[in-house]
Amino acid sequence: MHAFTKALLLTFPLCLAAASLHAQTGQNQTVDPITLPPVTVTAQKEPAEIQKVPVSVTVVPVDWLQMGSTVSDAGIYSPNTYFSEFTARKLTNPRFRGIGASPANPSITTFIDGVPMLNANASNIELLDVAQVEFVRGPQSSLFGRNTLGGLINVASVRPSLTRWSGQAAVPFGNYSAREIRANASGPLTSTLAFGGSISHAQRDGFTVNGVTGNDLDYREATSGKAQLLWTPASNWEARLIASAERARDGDYALSDLDGLRDVHHRTSRDLEGRTDRDITSVAVLTRREGDRVTFSTTTGFVRWKTFDLTDLDYMPLPLVRRENSEKDFQFTQEVRLASAAAAPVRLNDAVTLAWQTGAFLFSENYEQLAQNSYAPFVLSQFIDFPVVETSPDADIDG
């Protein structure tokens, strides 16, 4: 009883102060309520306001990001999100709440304009002409299928404008000789057809210096382009064609002896300075028709990418072991979906409505990899006095 009385006495003056402040505000001025603009996400495939989606999702608008930003850079703003990176953007594996997986079998899949990247090697792209990035945490396999046990990443491109022409160009720069040239334009071609295009070239020096040559190891350079067509033959019908390409030329993996890195940060010594090349081209065709009661939509995707990485596998200034790794992949995905219209859910009773969706998804993938480790004489054994080339692996995956 004594504790309750004490709490009541402490609360009473606070209530009086709040009431007095409210009375003064009402007498002097009227404070309008603050209304934030709605944020629309596709965390459950169909567009919906983020407050109405029963999943853990973080939206990162592209305005928050800096020059030369990639998908992994956007993850800084998402809680319980971590990207393990090997300096070259090819090997960038996302982890949500501690769950992650290998590139060929990811548990977190990146969807770019609705098209899944079935291999994580092609997922960490430059954010060119992108409106927002969504990080959806938690299992999503019921709607997005395989490889979404930990969650998914949605990357949405900016829609071309049907009202007026606009464009912009920027030449930002930063430390480590970071510089970029970026330009885009968008506008109507006819009353029902709009075009959008963008191009970018970004590069920076590396953070790690090779003590043998004095050169940077982990530099980055990429040229990207994207073109779009938006066709709206009717008020409830639209189709989008999105074609994009990226040519990335990154430096070697900045791996070295851990004790040496603790003594001297961002410095290593190796006889071979490798590189990591990656080329990606993709085409997405999106259609959508919104009826009075049912919405019909399709997503067709073609993705082709290839990579080549060469690295000094012994991480020492001696020519002992080197590794060459070539990978390439082509995937085709097709999704057809029916859903209840946003304004016409099934009403179960006066208080409960049911929104539904159903559909079919199929994919075809052809993946090839050839990796070879080259050993100098006497490395494998004192009796092997000649170079040895080990193939590991030579693999094909057709799904």
Side-chain angles (χ1 to χ4, degrees):
M1 175 64 78
H2 177 71
F4 175 78
T5 305
K6 187 175 181 180
L8 182 61
L9 292 175
L10 290 174
T11 306
F12 184 67
L14 295 177
C15 294
L16 289 178
S20 176
L21 178 61
H22 182 269
Q24 294 176 7
T25 304
Q27 292 175 359
N28 298 331
Q29 61 181 356
T30 301
V31 179
D32 296 329
I34 299 175
T35 303
L36 298 177
V39 177
T40 302
V41 297
T42 55
Q44 292 188 311
K45 289 192 178 289
E46 287 297 306
E49 292 187 20
I50 191 172
Q51 295 91 342
K52 300 179 181 179
V53 176
V55 295
S56 177
V57 55
T58 299
V59 177
V60 180
V62 74
D63 296 339
W64 292 7
L65 305 175
Q66 304 298 321
M67 58 169 289
S69 296
T70 60
V71 176
S72 61
D73 296 326
I76 298 174
Y77 298 94
S78 176
N80 296 316
T81 300
Y82 174 76
F83 284 82
S84 58
E85 296 188 87
F86 286 86
T87 61
R89 72 198 81 198
K90 168 200 165 183
L91 284 184
T92 305
N93 301 320
R95 298 178 182 273
F96 290 175
R97 299 170 177 172
I99 298 178
S102 63
N105 190 29
S107 60
I108 299 168
T109 297
T110 300
F111 288 74
I112 301 176
D113 294 315
V115 177
M117 300 294 106
L118 302 180
N119 191 299
N121 282 345
S123 61
N124 192 29
I125 63 170
E126 291 278 339
L127 296 179
L128 178 64
D129 229 10
V130 167
Q132 65 184 30
V133 183
E134 305 169 16
F135 294 91
V136 187
R137 297 174 293 275
Q140 308 297 326
S141 299
S142 58
L143 285 177
F144 291 89
R146 74 173 203 171
N147 300 128
T148 56
L149 178 64
L152 60 98
I153 303 171
N154 272 331
V155 180
S157 296
V158 175
R159 291 170 59 87
S161 174
L162 278 166
T163 57
R164 63 185 180 88
W165 276 94
S166 64
Q168 61 180 359
V171 188
F173 59 91
N175 57 352
Y176 291 94
S177 299
R179 61 269 195 196
E180 182 180 8
I181 300 175
R182 179 183 295 256
N184 63 65
S186 173
L189 299 177
T190 67
S191 60
T192 60
L193 184 65
F195 169 81
S198 56
I199 190 170
S200 168
H201 178 80
Q203 62 184 94
R204 65 158 173 80
D205 293 343
F207 307 129
T208 305
V209 177
N210 182 8
V212 176
T213 63
N215 299 328
D216 297 337
L217 279 179
D218 46 355
Y219 57 87
R220 281 187 176 183
E221 181 177 356
T223 301
S224 307
K226 181 182 290 186
Q228 295 189 64
L229 284 176
L230 171 63
W231 182 43
T232 57
S235 59
N236 62 343
W237 170 265
E238 72 171 34
R240 290 177 69 186
L241 173 65
I242 307 172
S244 61
E246 178 179 304
R247 181 182 185 270
R249 296 295 180 263
D250 296 340
D252 200 356
Y253 304 114
L255 302 176
S256 185
D257 174 70
L258 186 57
D259 291 334
L261 289 176
R262 286 170 175 166
D263 294 337
V264 182
H265 297 174
H266 302 291
R267 191 173 184 87
T268 184
S269 296
R270 56 178 71 176
D271 62 291
L272 173 67
E273 293 178 351
R275 70 182 196 274
T276 306
D277 302 339
R278 187 183 68 174
D279 298 287
I280 305 174
T281 56
S282 64
V283 176
V285 181
L286 315 176
T287 64
R288 185 175 180 87
R289 185 184 187 280
E290 297 185 358
D292 295 335
R293 304 190 62 84
V294 177
T295 296
F296 172 77
S297 59
T298 66
T299 302
T300 307
F302 302 89
V303 180
R304 184 186 298 275
W305 62 267
K306 64 178 181 179
T307 63
F308 173 80
D309 44 293
L310 170 66
T311 186
D312 185 350
L313 205 57
D314 56 81
Y315 312 125
M316 294 188 298
L318 300 176
L320 301 180
V321 189
R322 59 187 290 177
R323 179 178 175 84
E324 295 184 10
N325 180 38
S326 299
E327 298 175 74
K328 63 180 180 179
D329 184 85
F330 174 76
Q331 71 171 59
F332 164 75
T333 58
Q334 178 64 62
E335 181 180 13
V336 179
R337 190 169 70 253
L338 294 172
S340 57
V346 179
R347 181 167 296 279
L348 302 180
N349 55 47
D350 294 339
V352 179
T353 58
L354 175 66
W356 60 268
Q357 59 177 293
T358 185
F361 175 84
L362 64 89
F363 77 94
S364 175
E365 182 183 22
N366 176 251
Y367 169 80
E368 299 179 15
Q369 180 183 16
L370 175 61
Q372 293 181 326
N373 299 329
S374 300
Y375 300 90
F378 303 108
V379 171
L380 295 178
S381 171
Q382 60 179 336
F383 303 106
I384 303 178
D385 59 350
F386 52 88
V388 176
V389 177
E390 173 195 29
T391 299
S392 176
D394 184 2
D396 295 302
I397 299 177
D398 293 317

